[in-house]
Amino acid sequence: MRATAVLRLFRQVLAIGLLLFSSVCAQAQTTPTIIILGDSLSAGYGIDLKAGWVQLLRERMAADKATSHYQIINASVSGETTQGALARLDKLLATHQPQIVIVELGGNDGLRGQPVKLMRQNLAEIIKKSQAASAKVLLAGMQIPPNYGTRYTQMFSDTYPALAKRFDVALVPFFLQDVALNPALMQGDDIHPNAEAQPTLLENVWPVLQPIL
C-alpha cells in the first residue's frame, strides 16, 4: 500500500515537472531574441562590460514597453574575424533562434590585410544563413585607416553598402561614426572606443535597429 502511494506521488511530481518544463520551453520559443555577432568593438574590449554599447542597448530596450520583451545575446568575441564568426554561426542560430542578427565584423579582417573578396564572401554567408533561419539582419559598416592603400581601403568600405543592397538588409553606414577620429573617445591604442564613446555607438545603431523592432 505504501509503495503504491509513493508511486502515485512520484507520478504526480513527474507530471508537474513536465508541465513546468513545457511551459519554460514554450516561453523560450516565444521570446524574441537579438544576437550581436561582433568583435572587440561589441565585446567591450578594455572597458567595463556594463558600460558597453550592447549593455546600454539592453537597458534602453528594457525601459520601453514596446521592446522590453526582447532578450539580447552578445556573441561578440575580441579578435574575431568574419571567418571565425561564420564558423560559430550555425550553432548560435540553432541554439537561440533569433529574430534579429546584428553583424558587426570586418575590422580585424582589414587590420590583418586579409583579401576583401574573402571578407565579402564570409559576410555574405553570414547574412544568407541568418536570413535562411528567418532572422532579419542589421549590418554595421566599417572603415579602415588610409595607410592600407586607397584601393584596398575603398574596396573595404564599399563592401558593406554593396552587401546591404544585394541582400536587402538594414545598414549602419559606419559603426564608429563620430568616434574613430575623436581622440577623447578612443583608448590609447587608437583602435578601440573607450567607455565615453559607447553611448555614441548606441546612437549610431539605434535609428537603424528601431524600425526592425
Side-chain angles (χ1 to χ4, degrees):
M1 190 72 176
R2 182 177 300 174
T4 302
V6 170
L7 181 60
R8 186 182 300 115
L9 179 60
F10 173 77
R11 288 174 176 171
Q12 290 174 344
V13 171
L14 180 61
I16 293 173
L18 289 173
L19 189 62
L20 290 173
F21 179 75
S22 299
S23 177
V24 170
C25 289
Q27 183 177 1
Q29 291 174 353
T30 57
T31 300
T33 300
I34 300 173
I35 287 180
I36 314 290
L37 188 66
D39 51 31
S40 56
L41 302 181
S42 297
Y45 176 88
I47 63 173
D48 189 330
L49 287 179
K50 295 180 181 178
W53 79 269
V54 176
Q55 180 58 31
L56 297 181
L57 175 62
R58 284 194 183 101
E59 294 170 2
R60 174 172 294 188
M61 294 181 65
D64 188 340
K65 288 184 179 180
T67 57
S68 60
H69 56 299
Y70 280 88
Q71 68 170 337
I72 298 176
I73 305 296
N74 191 357
S76 303
V77 176
S78 293
E80 186 68 287
T81 62
T82 56
Q83 185 67 46
L86 178 59
R88 295 190 293 122
L89 183 60
D90 286 340
K91 185 175 181 179
L92 288 169
L93 294 174
T95 301
H96 302 291
Q97 301 177 16
Q99 278 64 49
I100 299 171
V101 177
I102 298 177
V103 181
E104 179 275 298
L105 293 165
N108 288 310
D109 296 65
L111 292 175
R112 297 177 186 184
Q114 295 185 359
V116 174
K117 181 179 180 181
L118 176 61
M119 182 189 78
R120 186 184 301 117
Q121 290 174 346
N122 291 335
L123 287 172
E125 284 300 311
I126 288 171
I127 294 172
K128 287 191 290 186
K129 284 178 176 288
S130 299
Q131 291 180 329
S134 300
K136 297 178 181 178
V137 175
L138 186 156
L139 183 62
M142 293 299 300
Q143 298 177 17
I144 56 173
N147 54 295
Y148 284 80
T150 302
R151 183 173 180 273
Y152 185 90
T153 302
Q154 191 63 51
M155 289 175 59
F156 184 95
S157 61
D158 287 347
T159 291
Y160 297 90
L163 287 173
K165 182 178 180 180
R166 175 183 171 187
F167 293 104
D168 191 24
V169 300
L171 174 69
V172 175
F174 182 32
F175 179 59
L176 295 177
Q177 182 69 40
D178 299 324
V179 172
L181 298 181
N182 186 344
L185 297 180
M186 299 296 290
Q187 297 182 41
D189 59 9
D190 291 326
I191 295 176
H192 297 95
N194 58 27
E196 288 72 22
Q198 302 303 310
T200 302
L201 296 181
L202 174 59
E203 293 308 322
N204 290 341
V205 172
W206 182 249
V208 183
L209 175 61
Q210 191 174 23
I212 303 176
L213 298 173

